[in-house]
Amino acid sequence: MDESKHFYDLIIIGGGISGSFIAEALSQDLRILILEAGINYKLKEYPIHEVHTSAKMYWGGGIEFNTDANIAFLRPKVVGGGSVINGALVDRFDDIAFDDWKGQTKVNFFNSKDMGPWYEKAESKFQIQYIPEEGRNGNAEIFAQGMKAKGFSYSPLRRAQKNCAYEEGNDCIECLSGCRIGSKQMMSVSTLERALQNGVELISQFEVENIEDHGDCVSVWGKHKKQRTFKFRSKKVVMAAGAIGNVRLLFKSGFGEKIPGIGKNFYTHPQYMNLGIFEKKIQSFKGALQAYKSSEPRFRQWGFKLENVFAPPAGLSMLIPGFGKKHMRQMKKIAHMSCIEVAIRDTEPGKMEQDRNGNFRIIKTLNAEDRKRRKLGLEIINDMFESCGASEIIEGKLPVGLHLMGGCGLGHDANESAVNPEFKLFDHKNIYVADSSIFPSAPGINPSLTVMALSLKATDQIAKGF
Ligand SMILES: Cc1cc2nc3c(=O)[nH]c(=O)nc-3n(C[C@H](O)[C@H](O)[C@H](O)COP(=O)(O)OP(=O)(O)OC[C@H]3O[C@@H](n4cnc5c(N)ncnc54)[C@H](O)[C@@H]3O)c2cc1C
């Protein structure tokens, strides 16, 4: 790599969902470089073992925590970002989510009508399917049976996938380590792939450590494979390193002192996975990993949603209390376990900070309202399992944050947000942000489709800037 040769129109930091969408949309007109900290896997190279997935495809060796070490965060680090390791569920936001954002920020385009065309455009970039009946496994049946018994409405999940061919024995639990058959519509088989075909350059295993705005251009530097430092320059930069990644980088680069909104309003949709153990075999790891979600309007009012889900064994083992033989006896029942998660729409804003010594920390707690939402969700799950005849119920105690959102909120108020409605970092006309870090609050809905739609909307603004 000879950095002296490299002056780009646009550098994108982070080759995840937002970065890939922006790269493809602008790839015909601009010279673009993507710098991504994670590995660029070919389909058949995705790790097979769960432990390798954690170590190689996530920051922090698999798991990161808040300062109290009582909320776990899973943060992808791989070319394609969250699209490679996530559940690929794609949902549009409803009016409840947008009204909340608009009320909080006074940003006019936060509404279903204005966002509609951007959702449509995003949805045209990959295949979407509802989970077909033949893919629904024993875990999905328990979910449906329990929801029916309790009189709650539910619906099939909408997923970014092409054809999972369950009849050939494909089990979607494997694609949490990257979909080796390329059915899941990861960025690496959709938008990013096309961007690279159009000439976008990608350097993987490159962790950006600093950015500096010179007014007429921006410098970006960091380490390739943790060794040599390289510096690049571009006319404009898009920060697409995700909620924690962007905030961390902005603090490191000294922007925290100038923009007080950086690091504020961090949300995670804490999820609690609950296990019901049954006499019969459930085989929750077969077929479609997830098939149903709650669509009960009362749940939306009460601030949570339920989904049928499962986890690979190492992840699952962390949910089961105890040690040694007792723990192993429980784990041996894995084929008899069903799992329903409650994901709460958290109301307590978290905060990311950097102290004087440069140490980064995440302060995130659950307030009384959040705990009330969790309790009610758990009670309903317990009732569902009981109505289906579970012999034992294990309540998930560890909240896991998979939807990492906020920290660079989009809005007008420099005390609460960091990015203006033109997707520019306050007072920095050449630095754009449109990923999950710009969410002003927790929507309570799967975030990735909205990250895509907002990223496409941002490309209009970025293109205008040239
Ligand atoms: C297990 C799991 C399941 C999920 N399931 C769903 C789901 O079914 N539906 C849904 O809507 N959402 C789901 N999500 C959440 C969804 O994946 C994220 O909301 C989404 O990926 C956010 O997109 P993004 O572009 O903001 O960031 P990401 O897609 O996370 O991309 C950010 C990228 O930036 C890179 N990066 C960070 N810092 C640096 C740096 N300093 N230098 C270079 N690169 C850097 C990271 O390595 C990463 O690849 C799930 C998440 C997880 C963890």
Side-chain angles (χ1 to χ4, degrees):
M1 253 187 297
D2 176 1
E3 70 269 28
S4 62
K5 289 187 189 155
H6 295 308
F7 186 92
Y8 291 86
D9 292 323
L10 187 68
I11 290 179
I12 300 177
I13 302 168
I17 291 182
S18 174
S20 301
F21 264 78
I22 292 175
E24 190 204 359
L26 298 173
S27 59
Q28 304 280 2
D29 306 313
L30 301 177
R31 182 149 187 254
I32 300 176
L33 171 67
I34 301 176
L35 298 170
E36 163 58 52
I39 297 173
N40 189 12
Y41 289 100
K42 293 197 177 75
L43 286 188
K44 296 287 177 221
E45 291 172 352
Y46 284 122
I48 295 173
H49 295 291
E50 188 189 356
V51 175
H52 295 157
T53 302
S54 294
K56 294 184 174 174
M57 296 168 87
Y58 282 93
W59 290 85
I63 202 162
E64 295 172 308
F65 283 95
N66 60 340
T67 43
D68 292 336
N70 59 6
I71 305 181
F73 309 123
L74 300 191
R75 183 160 68 106
K77 182 184 184 184
V78 57
V79 168
S83 72
V84 175
I85 49 77
N86 76 12
L89 307 174
V90 281
D91 295 308
R92 293 188 183 199
F93 284 6
D94 59 11
D95 289 339
I96 295 178
F98 278 130
D99 288 350
D100 181 40
W101 280 15
K102 193 170 172 184
Q104 198 177 320
T105 63
K106 313 283 177 281
V107 171
N108 285 329
F109 64 73
F110 284 149
N111 66 75
S112 301
K113 187 164 173 275
D114 284 343
M115 286 302 296
W118 300 108
Y119 276 127
E120 250 169 60
K121 199 167 175 188
E123 286 160 348
S124 73
K125 300 285 176 190
F126 54 89
Q127 303 248 349
I128 298 178
Q129 294 178 338
Y130 286 90
I131 304 296
E133 216 161 328
E134 66 272 16
R136 296 176 197 162
N137 62 17
N139 196 24
E141 277 167 31
I142 300 269
F143 185 89
Q145 195 186 326
M147 289 292 275
K148 261 189 235 157
K150 295 288 138 196
F152 296 126
S153 55
Y154 62 96
S155 50
L157 286 164
R158 193 171 176 254
R159 192 164 186 261
Q161 63 175 45
K162 207 164 58 185
N163 176 14
C164 293
Y166 306 109
E167 67 286 358
E168 289 172 20
N170 295 321
D171 301 320
C172 288
I173 196 161
E174 287 181 27
C175 73
L176 294 178
S177 304
C179 177
R180 292 163 67 85
I181 59 169
S183 158
K184 185 161 82 167
Q185 299 288 279
M186 307 170 288
M187 299 301 101
S188 43
V189 298
S190 55
T191 49
L192 181 61
E193 187 182 35
R194 293 190 293 268
L196 298 179
Q197 280 163 5
N198 290 344
V200 168
E201 291 170 51
L202 164 73
I203 304 177
S204 56
Q205 297 181 72
F206 188 104
E207 183 173 347
V208 177
E209 293 177 330
N210 224 309
I211 55 175
E212 192 177 344
D213 186 357
H214 305 288
D216 56 346
C217 69
V218 186
S219 296
V220 173
W221 63 95
K223 283 203 178 70
H224 187 226
K225 296 191 176 170
K226 299 194 170 152
Q227 289 176 352
R228 259 190 79 188
T229 298
F230 289 91
K231 188 171 177 178
F232 299 94
R233 293 230 267 184
S234 62
K235 291 179 192 158
K236 294 181 188 296
V237 159
V238 170
M239 299 192 66
I244 297 178
N246 276 349
V247 170
R248 208 178 173 133
L249 186 54
L250 285 167
F251 278 143
K252 259 191 181 175
S253 309
F255 289 83
E257 287 137 38
K258 290 171 257 166
I259 306 173
I262 293 174
K264 288 186 182 165
N265 300 315
F266 173 63
Y267 296 89
T268 70
H269 290 162
Q271 306 186 6
Y272 297 84
M273 291 172 71
N274 301 281
L275 301 170
I277 303 182
F278 291 80
E279 296 299 329
K280 63 178 179 184
K281 275 194 176 171
I282 309 293
Q283 307 221 90
S284 300
F285 37 79
K286 300 300 289 175
L289 179 67
Q290 295 184 265
Y292 292 122
K293 62 173 176 181
S294 56
S295 50
E296 173 60 45
R298 282 174 292 173
F299 289 3
R300 190 78 180 113
Q301 299 295 332
W302 297 335
F304 61 84
K305 64 173 177 147
L306 307 185
E307 275 174 19
N308 83 290
V309 68
F310 208 62
L316 200 71
S317 70
M318 292 172 65
L319 303 172
I320 293 175
F323 301 95
K325 279 188 182 162
K326 189 177 166 225
H327 190 266
M328 196 187 285
R329 268 199 304 276
Q330 291 288 57
M331 282 303 291
K332 281 187 174 160
K333 299 177 191 163
I334 192 163
H336 297 259
M337 291 176 188
S338 168
C339 181
I340 301 175
E341 70 164 30
V342 53
I344 62 167
R345 183 175 180 212
D346 42 337
T347 58
E348 177 69 23
K351 197 172 171 207
M352 293 179 259
E353 289 181 346
Q354 181 174 272
D355 69 17
R356 281 192 195 159
N357 301 321
N359 299 314
F360 180 78
R361 57 179 176 226
I362 302 174
I363 299 152
K364 176 78 187 156
T365 53
L366 301 183
N367 61 25
E369 175 60 26
D370 297 339
R371 290 195 297 274
K372 191 174 113 191
R373 292 173 179 204
R374 167 185 179 260
K375 186 167 174 281
L376 185 54
L378 285 178
E379 281 167 6
I380 290 171
I381 294 173
N382 285 348
D383 282 353
M384 286 167 69
F385 278 145
E386 270 167 20
S387 73
C388 295
S391 54
E392 192 182 340
I393 295 171
I394 301 175
E395 263 186 22
K397 301 270 187 245
L398 177 70
V400 184
L402 307 176
H403 302 166
L404 308 171
M405 303 165 290
C408 293
L410 187 140
H412 297 283
D413 175 0
N415 274 318
E416 288 302 314
S417 35
V419 173
N420 71 23
E422 291 175 350
F423 299 92
K424 290 176 190 165
L425 193 65
F426 285 142
D427 300 326
H428 294 276
K429 64 179 188 331
N430 291 324
I431 302 178
Y432 292 83
V433 192
D435 66 1
S436 50
S437 68
I438 67 170
F439 283 24
S441 64
I445 295 176
N446 281 310
S448 64
L449 186 63
T450 303
V451 169
M452 298 169 190
L454 287 168
S455 297
L456 287 176
K457 183 167 171 54
T459 57
D460 252 13
Q461 295 293 336
I462 301 169
K464 270 187 214 158
F466 280 93

